Amino acid sequence: MANDRKPLDKVRNIGIMAHIDAWKTTYTERVLFYTWKKHKIWEVHDWAAEMDWMEQEKERWITITSAATTCFWWDHHINIIDTPGHVDFTIEVERSLRVLDGAVALLDWSQWVEPQTETVWRQADKYWVPRIIFINKMDKLGADFYMSVESVKSRITDKWVPLQLPVWQADEFKAIIDLLKMKMYTFTWEHWEDEVENEIPADMLEKSKIYREALIDKVSMFDDELAEKFLWWEEISIDLIKKAIRKWTITSQLYPIFCWSALGNKWVQLGLDAVVDYLPSPLDRWSMKWVDPDNLTKIIERKQDDNDPVSAIAFKIMTDPFVGTLTFVRVYSGIIKSGDSLLNSVSWQKERVWRLLLMHANKREEVAEIHAGHICAFLWLKDTRTWNTLCDMKHPVLLEKMEFPEPVIQIAVEPKSKPDQEKMWMALSKLAYEDPSFKYYSDEESGQTIIAGMGELHLEIIVDRLKREHKVEVTTGKPQVAYRETITTWSIWEWVFKRQTWGRWQFWHVLIKLEKLQDKVYEFESQVKWWSIPNEFIPAIDKGAKETMAQWILAWYQIINIKVIPYDGSYHEVDSSEIAFKIATYRAFKDAFMKASPVILEPIMDVEVVTPEEYVGTVMGDLSSRRWMIQWQSQRWNATVVECKVPLSEMFGYVTDLRSNTQWRASSTMQFSNYDKVPEAIAKKIMDERSGNIKKMDEE
């Protein structure tokens, strides 16, 4: 890497993001070919794409895990992360976007802006990631660039600005018009390697002028120099326009739009030019604001510079069957060399950097050092988890915690043989280590091992990996909904008790208040005065509340959205202990919970169905029977789009039913929206079933 090292202003760290089947991986394969990273183009449908290297990815023709690679274009170093498009693996997108400087959003012109595109767009908004938009599949019959642009405006942003227009001849995508240069470009040779510049055809000239004027008008709204020249009809240089577009793209005020065909190998090179021209380098992004681990209110700024102390984030963990645990790290400042020792400021453990690897999907290239602004894989880190901070031993810093979504679906898994039992738990531990959206636990009610994830496909992949990678044979139960419990109002409760245990008296007395939260799972705020209960016992109250949150009260489901406020109590200098206050909190919490009008919550899914017109009645009737809440109905070409919210419990097997009802002509997408109260009749049924299971187990 040392010989190929580029100045930081010529580095691009980008992600490829979109809905499933927008051909993100197909695009990335072309990028690697045109940047001479590989000598041949391999296809996803031939099970040969390098970026989809997992067996499960090859078989399903989808991306499951984010894959990283590096290439060079026009003296620029481009680090690329190809992210999944399926909603079950959206955490892969989020943790990648958090460490990237820019992103390419791919749209399928025939589907316009799809639900998962909206989701990843919001994720990019969350982290202020600058984006450019590529409208893909323009060589498909009936491609409509202009309707795709309108869908961008109506569904994700009104800050778009087209920099290219497509040219069709006899219904074939033949060329593009560059609105800055006002030239038409075609490519020749087998893989369209050679660029040919032509004049704009007469029938496209007027439209091109209109779009160019609209482009300059929009950009001039943000740039005084350009606005002045535009108002006075002065000649505006291409460099000035590009400079203004880049400036406002980097600040997420503009999103340039381009068009091409990845599968057809058409105009991918101009897309690479756009990445270099308009997406930010690490230097264009603001300095990261770290905090002092010993004082979380103290901000420490680190420049993205080799000369600052080391600060880096571990954003992804992967187990490689050949070399062991790989930790993907974005380095923000300093230089990290093989053999260095770093501090994990979350666990306060010392980590030795044994080997540094540049990744190309599942292939590896060892390097001696990694510099600020780059992405690298560290081999054999022992105590580092996803989103831990790694930093200089003498200059510790910490980045804010990243929140991961809670699983919404779960199934029971059982090993087929006794030797598989221990192997299964070790394998589940490794899988959970890699994937923070995957959970597993032993159900105290049934004694079964439960695995929980973001959807049916997510859990299907987990089970498949158990069998293939870890050689663990398991049987699985039916998918179950991950219900939750919460309160709907506030309540207070007091618990005081004195008991003699093993010859010693135990005394505890605590008063707590429970309040409902909206966006947080749990919050703890002590209002106890030190003379009522000494500070040393407060952590025990916090721990008691957390443990109660994870236990059964209504129907043995996790409790969420509660703020616990201990506000008074008393203690005995001899007879009070941490365990006493922990037990007191447990008793007080349960009583206060039952007093606060508790309810069971169920996951509600955003569902979008695209169906031919003749099946609309059938589709809507089926959704209505599933307790749907319709949100929107619209037309997309000759199809009807139905958007609604449906409880997850009603959606098991829906895809099969939809295909059967529409002769395989309709399609659907589903993603988690929110938790909502279960209707009383259904809640009673759930509680009866759960209590019946407990009674049955007690009898056994």
Side-chain angles (χ1 to χ4, degrees), residues 198-218:
N198 301 280
E199 295 301 318
I200 298 174
D203 62 340
M204 286 290 294
L205 186 58
E206 188 61 32
K207 177 179 279 191
S208 300
K209 288 180 179 178
I210 292 172
Y211 268 84
R212 188 178 195 273
E213 185 170 338
L215 183 162
I216 296 174
D217 183 33
K218 195 158 194 173

mmCIF file with all atom_site columns, all heavy atoms in Angstrom, residues 198-218:
data_model
loop_
_atom_site.group_PDB
_atom_site.id
_atom_site.type_symbol
_atom_site.label_atom_id
_atom_site.label_alt_id
_atom_site.label_comp_id
_atom_site.label_asym_id
_atom_site.label_entity_id
_atom_site.label_seq_id
_atom_site.pdbx_PDB_ins_code
_atom_site.Cartn_x
_atom_site.Cartn_y
_atom_site.Cartn_z
_atom_site.occupancy
_atom_site.B_iso_or_equiv
_atom_site.pdbx_formal_charge
_atom_site.auth_seq_id
_atom_site.auth_comp_id
_atom_site.auth_asym_id
_atom_site.auth_atom_id
_atom_site.pdbx_PDB_model_num
ATOM 1   N N   . ASN A 1 198 ? -19.536 13.234 -29.021 1.00 0.00 ? 198 ASN A N   1
ATOM 2   C CA  . ASN A 1 198 ? -20.282 13.681 -30.198 1.00 0.00 ? 198 ASN A CA  1
ATOM 3   C C   . ASN A 1 198 ? -21.101 14.916 -29.855 1.00 0.00 ? 198 ASN A C   1
ATOM 4   O O   . ASN A 1 198 ? -21.287 15.250 -28.676 1.00 0.00 ? 198 ASN A O   1
ATOM 5   C CB  . ASN A 1 198 ? -21.238 12.580 -30.678 1.00 0.00 ? 198 ASN A CB  1
ATOM 6   C CG  . ASN A 1 198 ? -20.515 11.299 -31.030 1.00 0.00 ? 198 ASN A CG  1
ATOM 7   O OD1 . ASN A 1 198 ? -19.948 11.182 -32.090 1.00 0.00 ? 198 ASN A OD1 1
ATOM 8   N ND2 . ASN A 1 198 ? -20.539 10.320 -30.112 1.00 0.00 ? 198 ASN A ND2 1
ATOM 9   N N   . GLU A 1 199 ? -21.610 15.558 -30.893 1.00 0.00 ? 199 GLU A N   1
ATOM 10  C CA  . GLU A 1 199 ? -22.527 16.670 -30.681 1.00 0.00 ? 199 GLU A CA  1
ATOM 11  C C   . GLU A 1 199 ? -23.907 16.129 -30.287 1.00 0.00 ? 199 GLU A C   1
ATOM 12  O O   . GLU A 1 199 ? -24.273 15.011 -30.625 1.00 0.00 ? 199 GLU A O   1
ATOM 13  C CB  . GLU A 1 199 ? -22.652 17.515 -31.955 1.00 0.00 ? 199 GLU A CB  1
ATOM 14  C CG  . GLU A 1 199 ? -21.369 18.218 -32.358 1.00 0.00 ? 199 GLU A CG  1
ATOM 15  C CD  . GLU A 1 199 ? -20.849 19.159 -31.274 1.00 0.00 ? 199 GLU A CD  1
ATOM 16  O OE1 . GLU A 1 199 ? -21.681 19.867 -30.664 1.00 0.00 ? 199 GLU A OE1 1
ATOM 17  O OE2 . GLU A 1 199 ? -19.629 19.161 -31.027 1.00 0.00 ? 199 GLU A OE2 1
ATOM 18  N N   . ILE A 1 200 ? -24.660 16.935 -29.592 1.00 0.00 ? 200 ILE A N   1
ATOM 19  C CA  . ILE A 1 200 ? -25.995 16.531 -29.163 1.00 0.00 ? 200 ILE A CA  1
ATOM 20  C C   . ILE A 1 200 ? -26.919 16.483 -30.382 1.00 0.00 ? 200 ILE A C   1
ATOM 21  O O   . ILE A 1 200 ? -26.935 17.425 -31.194 1.00 0.00 ? 200 ILE A O   1
ATOM 22  C CB  . ILE A 1 200 ? -26.545 17.509 -28.117 1.00 0.00 ? 200 ILE A CB  1
ATOM 23  C CG1 . ILE A 1 200 ? -25.662 17.500 -26.863 1.00 0.00 ? 200 ILE A CG1 1
ATOM 24  C CG2 . ILE A 1 200 ? -27.989 17.162 -27.743 1.00 0.00 ? 200 ILE A CG2 1
ATOM 25  C CD1 . ILE A 1 200 ? -26.049 18.530 -25.831 1.00 0.00 ? 200 ILE A CD1 1
ATOM 26  N N   . PRO A 1 201 ? -27.694 15.391 -30.547 1.00 0.00 ? 201 PRO A N   1
ATOM 27  C CA  . PRO A 1 201 ? -28.622 15.314 -31.684 1.00 0.00 ? 201 PRO A CA  1
ATOM 28  C C   . PRO A 1 201 ? -29.624 16.464 -31.669 1.00 0.00 ? 201 PRO A C   1
ATOM 29  O O   . PRO A 1 201 ? -29.998 16.961 -30.600 1.00 0.00 ? 201 PRO A O   1
ATOM 30  C CB  . PRO A 1 201 ? -29.335 13.971 -31.468 1.00 0.00 ? 201 PRO A CB  1
ATOM 31  C CG  . PRO A 1 201 ? -28.441 13.187 -30.565 1.00 0.00 ? 201 PRO A CG  1
ATOM 32  C CD  . PRO A 1 201 ? -27.737 14.186 -29.704 1.00 0.00 ? 201 PRO A CD  1
ATOM 33  N N   . ALA A 1 202 ? -30.065 16.862 -32.847 1.00 0.00 ? 202 ALA A N   1
ATOM 34  C CA  . ALA A 1 202 ? -30.958 18.014 -32.971 1.00 0.00 ? 202 ALA A CA  1
ATOM 35  C C   . ALA A 1 202 ? -32.252 17.828 -32.182 1.00 0.00 ? 202 ALA A C   1
ATOM 36  O O   . ALA A 1 202 ? -32.765 18.780 -31.579 1.00 0.00 ? 202 ALA A O   1
ATOM 37  C CB  . ALA A 1 202 ? -31.274 18.254 -34.450 1.00 0.00 ? 202 ALA A CB  1
ATOM 38  N N   . ASP A 1 203 ? -32.775 16.575 -32.156 1.00 0.00 ? 203 ASP A N   1
ATOM 39  C CA  . ASP A 1 203 ? -34.045 16.361 -31.472 1.00 0.00 ? 203 ASP A CA  1
ATOM 40  C C   . ASP A 1 203 ? -33.920 16.373 -29.950 1.00 0.00 ? 203 ASP A C   1
ATOM 41  O O   . ASP A 1 203 ? -34.929 16.335 -29.239 1.00 0.00 ? 203 ASP A O   1
ATOM 42  C CB  . ASP A 1 203 ? -34.678 15.048 -31.938 1.00 0.00 ? 203 ASP A CB  1
ATOM 43  C CG  . ASP A 1 203 ? -33.805 13.846 -31.616 1.00 0.00 ? 203 ASP A CG  1
ATOM 44  O OD1 . ASP A 1 203 ? -32.589 14.028 -31.396 1.00 0.00 ? 203 ASP A OD1 1
ATOM 45  O OD2 . ASP A 1 203 ? -34.338 12.718 -31.583 1.00 0.00 ? 203 ASP A OD2 1
ATOM 46  N N   . MET A 1 204 ? -32.671 16.408 -29.433 1.00 0.00 ? 204 MET A N   1
ATOM 47  C CA  . MET A 1 204 ? -32.448 16.448 -27.985 1.00 0.00 ? 204 MET A CA  1
ATOM 48  C C   . MET A 1 204 ? -31.863 17.776 -27.522 1.00 0.00 ? 204 MET A C   1
ATOM 49  O O   . MET A 1 204 ? -31.730 18.012 -26.320 1.00 0.00 ? 204 MET A O   1
ATOM 50  C CB  . MET A 1 204 ? -31.495 15.328 -27.564 1.00 0.00 ? 204 MET A CB  1
ATOM 51  C CG  . MET A 1 204 ? -32.085 13.938 -27.572 1.00 0.00 ? 204 MET A CG  1
ATOM 52  S SD  . MET A 1 204 ? -33.305 13.704 -26.256 1.00 0.00 ? 204 MET A SD  1
ATOM 53  C CE  . MET A 1 204 ? -32.281 13.837 -24.800 1.00 0.00 ? 204 MET A CE  1
ATOM 54  N N   . LEU A 1 205 ? -31.529 18.641 -28.466 1.00 0.00 ? 205 LEU A N   1
ATOM 55  C CA  . LEU A 1 205 ? -30.798 19.861 -28.115 1.00 0.00 ? 205 LEU A CA  1
ATOM 56  C C   . LEU A 1 205 ? -31.633 20.805 -27.254 1.00 0.00 ? 205 LEU A C   1
ATOM 57  O O   . LEU A 1 205 ? -31.149 21.319 -26.231 1.00 0.00 ? 205 LEU A O   1
ATOM 58  C CB  . LEU A 1 205 ? -30.340 20.575 -29.396 1.00 0.00 ? 205 LEU A CB  1
ATOM 59  C CG  . LEU A 1 205 ? -29.435 21.791 -29.183 1.00 0.00 ? 205 LEU A CG  1
ATOM 60  C CD1 . LEU A 1 205 ? -28.170 21.398 -28.414 1.00 0.00 ? 205 LEU A CD1 1
ATOM 61  C CD2 . LEU A 1 205 ? -29.049 22.420 -30.530 1.00 0.00 ? 205 LEU A CD2 1
ATOM 62  N N   . GLU A 1 206 ? -32.891 21.019 -27.615 1.00 0.00 ? 206 GLU A N   1
ATOM 63  C CA  . GLU A 1 206 ? -33.715 21.962 -26.871 1.00 0.00 ? 206 GLU A CA  1
ATOM 64  C C   . GLU A 1 206 ? -33.970 21.462 -25.441 1.00 0.00 ? 206 GLU A C   1
ATOM 65  O O   . GLU A 1 206 ? -33.884 22.226 -24.480 1.00 0.00 ? 206 GLU A O   1
ATOM 66  C CB  . GLU A 1 206 ? -35.041 22.180 -27.604 1.00 0.00 ? 206 GLU A CB  1
ATOM 67  C CG  . GLU A 1 206 ? -35.900 23.297 -27.005 1.00 0.00 ? 206 GLU A CG  1
ATOM 68  C CD  . GLU A 1 206 ? -35.203 24.662 -27.045 1.00 0.00 ? 206 GLU A CD  1
ATOM 69  O OE1 . GLU A 1 206 ? -34.415 24.919 -27.975 1.00 0.00 ? 206 GLU A OE1 1
ATOM 70  O OE2 . GLU A 1 206 ? -35.439 25.456 -26.101 1.00 0.00 ? 206 GLU A OE2 1
ATOM 71  N N   . LYS A 1 207 ? -34.281 20.174 -25.314 1.00 0.00 ? 207 LYS A N   1
ATOM 72  C CA  . LYS A 1 207 ? -34.507 19.603 -23.988 1.00 0.00 ? 207 LYS A CA  1
ATOM 73  C C   . LYS A 1 207 ? -33.245 19.697 -23.142 1.00 0.00 ? 207 LYS A C   1
ATOM 74  O O   . LYS A 1 207 ? -33.310 20.012 -21.940 1.00 0.00 ? 207 LYS A O   1
ATOM 75  C CB  . LYS A 1 207 ? -34.944 18.145 -24.093 1.00 0.00 ? 207 LYS A CB  1
ATOM 76  C CG  . LYS A 1 207 ? -35.121 17.466 -22.735 1.00 0.00 ? 207 LYS A CG  1
ATOM 77  C CD  . LYS A 1 207 ? -35.566 16.023 -22.870 1.00 0.00 ? 207 LYS A CD  1
ATOM 78  C CE  . LYS A 1 207 ? -37.045 15.941 -23.116 1.00 0.00 ? 207 LYS A CE  1
ATOM 79  N NZ  . LYS A 1 207 ? -37.568 14.556 -23.001 1.00 0.00 ? 207 LYS A NZ  1
ATOM 80  N N   . SER A 1 208 ? -32.084 19.468 -23.753 1.00 0.00 ? 208 SER A N   1
ATOM 81  C CA  . SER A 1 208 ? -30.809 19.536 -23.029 1.00 0.00 ? 208 SER A CA  1
ATOM 82  C C   . SER A 1 208 ? -30.547 20.952 -22.522 1.00 0.00 ? 208 SER A C   1
ATOM 83  O O   . SER A 1 208 ? -30.077 21.142 -21.388 1.00 0.00 ? 208 SER A O   1
ATOM 84  C CB  . SER A 1 208 ? -29.659 19.076 -23.924 1.00 0.00 ? 208 SER A CB  1
ATOM 85  O OG  . SER A 1 208 ? -29.847 17.749 -24.355 1.00 0.00 ? 208 SER A OG  1
ATOM 86  N N   . LYS A 1 209 ? -30.867 21.952 -23.352 1.00 0.00 ? 209 LYS A N   1
ATOM 87  C CA  . LYS A 1 209 ? -30.673 23.345 -22.938 1.00 0.00 ? 209 LYS A CA  1
ATOM 88  C C   . LYS A 1 209 ? -31.575 23.686 -21.749 1.00 0.00 ? 209 LYS A C   1
ATOM 89  O O   . LYS A 1 209 ? -31.156 24.376 -20.812 1.00 0.00 ? 209 LYS A O   1
ATOM 90  C CB  . LYS A 1 209 ? -30.962 24.284 -24.109 1.00 0.00 ? 209 LYS A CB  1
ATOM 91  C CG  . LYS A 1 209 ? -29.903 24.259 -25.200 1.00 0.00 ? 209 LYS A CG  1
ATOM 92  C CD  . LYS A 1 209 ? -30.271 25.219 -26.331 1.00 0.00 ? 209 LYS A CD  1
ATOM 93  C CE  . LYS A 1 209 ? -29.202 25.231 -27.426 1.00 0.00 ? 209 LYS A CE  1
ATOM 94  N NZ  . LYS A 1 209 ? -29.583 26.124 -28.548 1.00 0.00 ? 209 LYS A NZ  1
ATOM 95  N N   . ILE A 1 210 ? -32.811 23.197 -21.793 1.00 0.00 ? 210 ILE A N   1
ATOM 96  C CA  . ILE A 1 210 ? -33.750 23.468 -20.699 1.00 0.00 ? 210 ILE A CA  1
ATOM 97  C C   . ILE A 1 210 ? -33.240 22.853 -19.395 1.00 0.00 ? 210 ILE A C   1
ATOM 98  O O   . ILE A 1 210 ? -33.249 23.494 -18.335 1.00 0.00 ? 210 ILE A O   1
ATOM 99  C CB  . ILE A 1 210 ? -35.150 22.928 -21.052 1.00 0.00 ? 210 ILE A CB  1
ATOM 100 C CG1 . ILE A 1 210 ? -35.752 23.738 -22.206 1.00 0.00 ? 210 ILE A CG1 1
ATOM 101 C CG2 . ILE A 1 210 ? -36.065 22.964 -19.823 1.00 0.00 ? 210 ILE A CG2 1
ATOM 102 C CD1 . ILE A 1 210 ? -37.046 23.148 -22.759 1.00 0.00 ? 210 ILE A CD1 1
ATOM 103 N N   . TYR A 1 211 ? -32.785 21.616 -19.474 1.00 0.00 ? 211 TYR A N   1
ATOM 104 C CA  . TYR A 1 211 ? -32.301 20.937 -18.269 1.00 0.00 ? 211 TYR A CA  1
ATOM 105 C C   . TYR A 1 211 ? -31.001 21.552 -17.766 1.00 0.00 ? 211 TYR A C   1
ATOM 106 O O   . TYR A 1 211 ? -30.770 21.620 -16.557 1.00 0.00 ? 211 TYR A O   1
ATOM 107 C CB  . TYR A 1 211 ? -32.115 19.438 -18.538 1.00 0.00 ? 211 TYR A CB  1
ATOM 108 C CG  . TYR A 1 211 ? -33.341 18.630 -18.206 1.00 0.00 ? 211 TYR A CG  1
ATOM 109 C CD1 . TYR A 1 211 ? -34.383 18.513 -19.127 1.00 0.00 ? 211 TYR A CD1 1
ATOM 110 C CD2 . TYR A 1 211 ? -33.486 18.011 -16.967 1.00 0.00 ? 211 TYR A CD2 1
ATOM 111 C CE1 . TYR A 1 211 ? -35.534 17.787 -18.829 1.00 0.00 ? 211 TYR A CE1 1
ATOM 112 C CE2 . TYR A 1 211 ? -34.625 17.282 -16.651 1.00 0.00 ? 211 TYR A CE2 1
ATOM 113 C CZ  . TYR A 1 211 ? -35.647 17.173 -17.579 1.00 0.00 ? 211 TYR A CZ  1
ATOM 114 O OH  . TYR A 1 211 ? -36.777 16.461 -17.268 1.00 0.00 ? 211 TYR A OH  1
ATOM 115 N N   . ARG A 1 212 ? -30.155 22.024 -18.688 1.00 0.00 ? 212 ARG A N   1
ATOM 116 C CA  . ARG A 1 212 ? -28.901 22.652 -18.242 1.00 0.00 ? 212 ARG A CA  1
ATOM 117 C C   . ARG A 1 212 ? -29.184 23.976 -17.535 1.00 0.00 ? 212 ARG A C   1
ATOM 118 O O   . ARG A 1 212 ? -28.588 24.284 -16.496 1.00 0.00 ? 212 ARG A O   1
ATOM 119 C CB  . ARG A 1 212 ? -27.965 22.891 -19.420 1.00 0.00 ? 212 ARG A CB  1
ATOM 120 C CG  . ARG A 1 212 ? -26.570 23.364 -18.980 1.00 0.00 ? 212 ARG A CG  1
ATOM 121 C CD  . ARG A 1 212 ? -25.659 23.541 -20.179 1.00 0.00 ? 212 ARG A CD  1
ATOM 122 N NE  . ARG A 1 212 ? -24.261 23.641 -19.774 1.00 0.00 ? 212 ARG A NE  1
ATOM 123 C CZ  . ARG A 1 212 ? -23.651 24.770 -19.427 1.00 0.00 ? 212 ARG A CZ  1
ATOM 124 N NH1 . ARG A 1 212 ? -24.335 25.912 -19.405 1.00 0.00 ? 212 ARG A NH1 1
ATOM 125 N NH2 . ARG A 1 212 ? -22.385 24.774 -19.073 1.00 0.00 ? 212 ARG A NH2 1
ATOM 126 N N   . GLU A 1 213 ? -30.120 24.728 -18.080 1.00 0.00 ? 213 GLU A N   1
ATOM 127 C CA  . GLU A 1 213 ? -30.468 26.003 -17.447 1.00 0.00 ? 213 GLU A CA  1
ATOM 128 C C   . GLU A 1 213 ? -31.080 25.761 -16.066 1.00 0.00 ? 213 GLU A C   1
ATOM 129 O O   . GLU A 1 213 ? -30.782 26.480 -15.106 1.00 0.00 ? 213 GLU A O   1
ATOM 130 C CB  . GLU A 1 213 ? -31.447 26.768 -18.337 1.00 0.00 ? 213 GLU A CB  1
ATOM 131 C CG  . GLU A 1 213 ? -31.768 28.158 -17.791 1.00 0.00 ? 213 GLU A CG  1
ATOM 132 C CD  . GLU A 1 213 ? -32.549 29.013 -18.777 1.00 0.00 ? 213 GLU A CD  1
ATOM 133 O OE1 . GLU A 1 213 ? -32.485 28.734 -19.990 1.00 0.00 ? 213 GLU A OE1 1
ATOM 134 O OE2 . GLU A 1 213 ? -33.214 29.952 -18.313 1.00 0.00 ? 213 GLU A OE2 1
ATOM 135 N N   . ALA A 1 214 ? -31.934 24.738 -15.954 1.00 0.00 ? 214 ALA A N   1
ATOM 136 C CA  . ALA A 1 214 ? -32.527 24.407 -14.657 1.00 0.00 ? 214 ALA A CA  1
ATOM 137 C C   . ALA A 1 214 ? -31.448 23.963 -13.673 1.00 0.00 ? 214 ALA A C   1
ATOM 138 O O   . ALA A 1 214 ? -31.507 24.284 -12.475 1.00 0.00 ? 214 ALA A O   1
ATOM 139 C CB  . ALA A 1 214 ? -33.567 23.302 -14.832 1.00 0.00 ? 214 ALA A CB  1
ATOM 140 N N   . LEU A 1 215 ? -30.450 23.232 -14.172 1.00 0.00 ? 215 LEU A N   1
ATOM 141 C CA  . LEU A 1 215 ? -29.326 22.789 -13.330 1.00 0.00 ? 215 LEU A CA  1
ATOM 142 C C   . LEU A 1 215 ? -28.584 23.987 -12.749 1.00 0.00 ? 215 LEU A C   1
ATOM 143 O O   . LEU A 1 215 ? -28.356 24.079 -11.536 1.00 0.00 ? 215 LEU A O   1
ATOM 144 C CB  . LEU A 1 215 ? -28.391 21.928 -14.173 1.00 0.00 ? 215 LEU A CB  1
ATOM 145 C CG  . LEU A 1 215 ? -27.167 21.262 -13.542 1.00 0.00 ? 215 LEU A CG  1
ATOM 146 C CD1 . LEU A 1 215 ? -26.669 20.136 -14.451 1.00 0.00 ? 215 LEU A CD1 1
ATOM 147 C CD2 . LEU A 1 215 ? -26.000 22.229 -13.313 1.00 0.00 ? 215 LEU A CD2 1
ATOM 148 N N   . ILE A 1 216 ? -28.202 24.916 -13.630 1.00 0.00 ? 216 ILE A N   1
ATOM 149 C CA  . ILE A 1 216 ? -27.439 26.085 -13.176 1.00 0.00 ? 216 ILE A CA  1
ATOM 150 C C   . ILE A 1 216 ? -28.285 26.954 -12.259 1.00 0.00 ? 216 ILE A C   1
ATOM 151 O O   . ILE A 1 216 ? -27.796 27.491 -11.253 1.00 0.00 ? 216 ILE A O   1
ATOM 152 C CB  . ILE A 1 216 ? -26.934 26.896 -14.393 1.00 0.00 ? 216 ILE A CB  1
ATOM 153 C CG1 . ILE A 1 216 ? -25.961 26.046 -15.214 1.00 0.00 ? 216 ILE A CG1 1
ATOM 154 C CG2 . ILE A 1 216 ? -26.245 28.173 -13.929 1.00 0.00 ? 216 ILE A CG2 1
ATOM 155 C CD1 . ILE A 1 216 ? -25.524 26.699 -16.509 1.00 0.00 ? 216 ILE A CD1 1
ATOM 156 N N   . ASP A 1 217 ? -29.572 27.067 -12.567 1.00 0.00 ? 217 ASP A N   1
ATOM 157 C CA  . ASP A 1 217 ? -30.472 27.847 -11.719 1.00 0.00 ? 217 ASP A CA  1
ATOM 158 C C   . ASP A 1 217 ? -30.515 27.264 -10.306 1.00 0.00 ? 217 ASP A C   1
ATOM 159 O O   . ASP A 1 217 ? -30.449 27.994 -9.311  1.00 0.00 ? 217 ASP A O   1
ATOM 160 C CB  . ASP A 1 217 ? -31.864 27.849 -12.345 1.00 0.00 ? 217 ASP A CB  1
ATOM 161 C CG  . ASP A 1 217 ? -32.848 28.706 -11.557 1.00 0.00 ? 217 ASP A CG  1
ATOM 162 O OD1 . ASP A 1 217 ? -32.420 29.726 -10.974 1.00 0.00 ? 217 ASP A OD1 1
ATOM 163 O OD2 . ASP A 1 217 ? -34.030 28.354 -11.498 1.00 0.00 ? 217 ASP A OD2 1
ATOM 164 N N   . LYS A 1 218 ? -30.599 25.938 -10.216 1.00 0.00 ? 218 LYS A N   1
ATOM 165 C CA  . LYS A 1 218 ? -30.695 25.294 -8.908  1.00 0.00 ? 218 LYS A CA  1
ATOM 166 C C   . LYS A 1 218 ? -29.388 25.425 -8.137  1.00 0.00 ? 218 LYS A C   1
ATOM 167 O O   . LYS A 1 218 ? -29.389 25.737 -6.936  1.00 0.00 ? 218 LYS A O   1
ATOM 168 C CB  . LYS A 1 218 ? -31.055 23.816 -9.079  1.00 0.00 ? 218 LYS A CB  1
ATOM 169 C CG  . LYS A 1 218 ? -31.522 23.155 -7.800  1.00 0.00 ? 218 LYS A CG  1
ATOM 170 C CD  . LYS A 1 218 ? -32.352 21.920 -8.107  1.00 0.00 ? 218 LYS A CD  1
ATOM 171 C CE  . LYS A 1 218 ? -33.088 21.452 -6.880  1.00 0.00 ? 218 LYS A CE  1
ATOM 172 N NZ  . LYS A 1 218 ? -34.037 20.368 -7.162  1.00 0.00 ? 218 LYS A NZ  1
#
